[in-house]
Amino acid sequence: RKLIMKMSVSLDGFVCDANGQKDWVFKTGDEESLAWSVEKIREAGLIIMGRKSFETMAPYWPTATGPFAAPMNNIPKALFTKKGFKGIDTTTAEQSPSAASWAGARVFDGDLAEGIRELKAESGKPIVAIGGAGFMQHLIATGLIDEYHLAIHPVALGSGLPIFTGLKIPFYLKLAEVKVFPKGIVAQTYRI
């Protein structure tokens, strides 16, 4: 199955500002771009992310409401870590099916490329990668991403964390789709 990276990016190529903040994502969005983003998550058979993103999201989503809540809680998850993972509080998981989906996440603590190859060899709907800059940089470096779904937001941050940095060699992508939303977000889908 294919691996899709889904990310919001500023005009100048950052996924968050120098302080790690992403509030600009919400300030520049609109109903249509939100619907596009939710649909891209709903297409997933598995959501993957790094440990830091997982530890931030796992306590939040089970009690969240809104259009992202159902897919974020219902779709199986996997996390990748180099620094170990202590797990999440499963007492809440026993009370909530939404929390249980987070508690049941698969944990990969070995080689990232090997873990991705294992997941891609399984049958099912696409794997969608979300999360922070560090995880995405490592994921891009594996060369195993099949599609990039980038929501380019109409904001220039000046500094922050990029995801396309440290590449050993340039890699070339094919633009497959462009969608423009009312408040200026441009969704671009690239394939290898």
Side-chain angles (χ1 to χ4, degrees):
R1 58 185 171 169
K2 69 181 170 181
L3 172 59
I4 298 168
M5 183 190 81
K6 183 190 170 302
M7 213 58 195
S8 287
V9 182
S10 68
L11 279 174
D12 48 354
F14 301 110
V15 297
C16 61
D17 68 19
N19 298 317
Q21 298 300 309
K22 296 181 177 186
D23 61 334
W24 50 271
V25 170
F26 306 105
K27 292 177 182 177
T28 56
D30 55 64
E31 290 300 316
E32 289 182 37
S33 64
L34 175 66
W36 175 86
S37 193
V38 170
E39 183 57 33
K40 294 302 173 191
I41 293 293
R42 275 197 180 114
E43 293 172 359
L46 178 69
I47 296 172
I48 65 170
M49 63 193 83
R51 178 193 50 82
K52 287 190 262 183
S53 292
F54 187 90
E55 288 175 343
T56 300
M57 292 183 191
Y60 171 79
W61 283 112
T63 58
T65 58
F68 279 104
M72 288 301 293
N73 287 319
N74 297 334
I75 297 169
K77 282 155 275 306
L79 72 109
F80 289 82
T81 180
K82 288 182 179 179
K83 298 187 178 181
F85 178 65
K86 297 175 189 155
I88 60 171
D89 181 4
T90 55
T91 55
T92 317
E94 293 166 8
Q95 301 167 0
S96 161
S98 298
S101 79
W102 289 89
R106 293 168 66 180
V107 179
F108 289 84
D109 58 4
D111 180 69
L112 176 61
E114 186 177 301
I116 294 298
R117 282 188 198 96
E118 179 182 328
L119 292 173
K120 288 182 75 166
E122 297 172 358
S123 61
K125 291 167 51 176
I127 303 161
V128 174
I130 61 172
F135 175 64
M136 292 304 184
Q137 288 170 359
H138 293 297
L139 193 58
I140 291 165
T142 69
L144 296 172
I145 298 172
D146 300 294
E147 287 185 10
Y148 293 80
H149 293 187
L150 303 176
I152 313 299
H153 290 252
V155 59
L157 300 175
S159 65
L161 295 175
I163 54 172
F164 295 104
T165 186
L167 298 173
K168 302 292 182 209
I169 58 170
F171 65 93
Y172 298 90
L173 304 170
K174 297 175 189 139
L175 182 61
E177 183 182 337
V178 176
K179 201 164 177 75
V180 180
F181 298 104
K183 286 182 76 177
I185 292 174
V186 179
Q188 300 174 343
T189 298
Y190 291 93
R191 294 190 179 113
I192 297 297

